[in-house]
Amino acid sequence: MKRLFWHLGLSQLMLLVAANSFGETERGPDTGAWKFAVSGDSRNCGDAVMPSIAERVRQDGAAFYWHLGDYRAIYDFDQDFRARNPQASILQYENSAWPDFIQHQLNPFGALPVYLGLGNHETIAPKTRSEAIPQFADWLDTPELRWQRLRDNPNDHLLEFYYHWFRGAVDFINLDNATEDQFDEAQMDWFAEQLARDSKNSEIRSVVVGMHEALPDSISAGHSMNESAQGTESGRKVYEEFVAFRKQAGKNVYVLASHSLFFMDNVYNTVCRRNHPDEVLPGWIVGTAGAPRYRLPADVTGSALHMTDVYGYLLATVSANGSIRFEFKQVKESDVTEGTKKDYTNEFIHSCYAGNSSTYVPAGPACPGK
């Protein structure tokens, strides 16, 4: 054994340790019921909201938290940043925005694993995807994700905001649709290969896919991948592949997004698909972590539960067989942490919870081919 470790390089040694940690079954240790939490869009007031989400998520006993993107506003000062730094220049803000997100929104999770998706605000000039990858490499290249990436493809040494990991009987897939050129061919190929592996893996009972923008033709289609031609075409293809996978493999599929700044369930249960219920995927929008809250779409009849002017997260309970139950957990002003109260005045905190609303109303779907 000593001779083996002597000849292994550091990266190889780390992968060997990771493989022993994550197991030869490609799955996490959970065999009974367990939980995870997800939300997105923590710009603007997120520094005042996310610590409360982190505290509540830990109290719920979640195994991890999944952030679906839009960490900071970038196009202008976030209100929370401005309140703490009233004299900062726009250049100082742009240089500090992402470290600010890490300090005030990720650090409160402590040792709890956090998975990151990329939002469109991470690509607003002067920020780019290429800059975001090294900034958040600690979250994209954890031993777990690196081991999984190289197990899938030993030659894959590039970090991307599309990746996956296993836990229990579930494959979690994080997709990147933060810019209008996505999904591009490379990501589509990667995604198809992963679905093919999942279809053959008898231990995987469910697939949970998370992304920033909802797939096309949702109840909130006006603020989704429908906003670009490439997004519409590639997003519809991904949706069709999920429907086919569910039918052929007989496994559960759950689709999570944020981007639209409210909470809504059954987001793909639209007039476009109601004559074909087997094509309706279970889907949620949970853009409720600090950004200005939108008005709900005019037609929400397909959704059983929808609300705006709220903050919170989606708490998922995973059964041993891989089926998942989702519940929205609201975070209120009364949940604000003591640390947040030290950073901000009561007036500012109240302005985030009682105000921070937008008049924007996303349009509904225009059914393809009609």
Side-chain angles (χ1 to χ4, degrees):
M1 180 61 72
K2 289 183 179 180
R3 296 176 70 89
L4 171 63
F5 284 126
W6 181 262
H7 289 288
L8 282 172
L10 178 60
S11 61
Q12 292 172 302
L13 180 57
M14 290 177 66
L15 286 175
L16 179 61
V17 173
N20 287 333
S21 299
F22 302 122
E24 291 302 321
T25 63
E26 298 184 324
R27 304 194 307 145
D30 302 284
T31 55
W34 58 279
K35 300 175 181 179
F36 68 92
V38 58
S39 62
D41 295 271
S42 58
R43 55 186 174 91
N44 300 92
C45 278
D47 288 2
V49 175
M50 282 291 289
S52 301
I53 289 178
E55 184 171 84
R56 290 279 301 278
V57 165
R58 294 198 311 270
Q59 291 173 353
D60 285 333
F64 61 81
Y65 172 75
W66 194 354
H67 194 302
L68 298 180
D70 276 8
Y71 317 142
R72 301 279 70 194
I74 304 302
Y75 71 92
D76 197 359
F77 293 95
D78 298 275
Q79 295 98 297
D80 50 25
F81 181 91
R82 197 53 153 169
R84 292 195 322 273
N85 305 277
Q87 303 302 319
S89 68
I90 188 66
L91 180 60
Q92 289 171 324
Y93 163 71
E94 289 168 349
N95 289 335
S96 303
W98 286 348
D100 172 88
F101 166 71
I102 293 171
Q103 178 182 352
H104 291 95
Q105 299 188 33
L106 296 186
N107 286 352
F109 286 95
L112 188 74
V114 175
Y115 298 91
L116 295 179
L118 191 72
N120 61 297
H121 280 257
E122 279 74 74
T123 67
I124 292 177
K127 300 299 186 183
T128 64
R129 179 183 284 104
S130 297
E131 183 183 354
I133 288 175
Q135 174 69 81
F136 299 107
D138 286 351
W139 289 266
L140 299 176
D141 198 32
T142 63
E144 174 194 27
L145 294 181
R146 186 185 322 129
W147 175 79
Q148 187 60 62
R149 185 179 72 248
L150 295 178
R151 184 179 178 88
D152 294 340
N153 179 358
N155 296 314
D156 186 2
H157 299 286
L158 291 177
L159 297 185
E160 302 284 359
F161 270 97
Y162 55 89
Y163 57 89
H164 81 109
W165 71 99
F166 294 103
R167 192 176 185 101
V170 184
D171 186 14
F172 292 91
I173 300 177
N174 189 86
L175 295 179
D176 175 2
N177 58 7
T179 50
E180 292 186 350
D181 61 334
Q182 300 298 323
F183 305 116
D184 64 9
E185 184 176 356
Q187 186 171 185
M188 292 287 285
D189 289 346
W190 174 89
F191 167 75
E193 290 172 0
Q194 187 51 40
L195 274 193
R197 283 192 288 264
D198 284 343
S199 68
K200 299 174 183 177
N201 188 339
S202 60
E203 295 183 323
I204 295 302
R205 306 290 182 81
S206 296
V207 172
V208 179
V209 59
M211 64 200 77
H212 184 62
E213 298 185 3
L215 293 170
D217 313 315
S218 72
I219 294 175
S220 188
H223 200 65
S224 73
M225 293 187 76
N226 284 110
E227 292 180 272
S228 72
Q230 173 67 11
T232 300
E233 180 181 357
S234 63
R236 283 175 177 167
K237 183 174 176 59
V238 163
Y239 191 97
E240 291 169 359
E241 291 183 10
F242 270 128
V243 171
F245 168 83
R246 186 174 64 172
K247 291 178 180 178
Q248 295 167 9
K251 303 185 181 189
N252 303 309
V253 175
Y254 306 94
V255 185
L256 311 176
S258 57
H259 192 50
S260 287
L261 305 179
F262 43 66
F263 170 74
M264 184 178 295
D265 67 0
N266 296 333
V267 298
Y268 299 108
N269 183 25
T270 68
V271 65
C272 303
R273 300 189 179 96
R274 280 180 203 149
N275 292 331
H276 304 279
D278 60 333
E279 296 180 1
V280 177
L281 294 175
W284 291 260
I285 288 175
V286 59
T288 54
R293 283 76 62 93
Y294 292 167
R295 303 307 89 198
L296 293 170
D299 182 3
V300 295
T301 54
S303 170
L305 181 61
H306 40 270
M307 60 186 82
T308 190
D309 293 326
V310 294
Y311 299 126
Y313 56 96
L314 200 58
L315 183 67
T317 301
V318 186
S319 299
N321 65 3
S323 63
I324 306 176
R325 177 175 56 86
F326 293 88
E327 177 186 8
F328 182 72
K329 306 284 280 188
Q330 185 176 352
V331 170
K332 301 179 180 179
E333 189 172 350
S334 58
D335 297 313
V336 169
T337 67
E338 292 302 315
T340 299
K341 292 177 182 178
K342 292 178 182 179
D343 287 339
Y344 299 103
T345 65
N346 290 336
E347 291 76 13
F348 177 78
I349 292 171
H350 184 68
S351 73
C352 282
Y353 279 83
N356 197 30
S357 295
S358 168
T359 59
Y360 177 70
V361 181
C367 302
K370 295 186 180 180

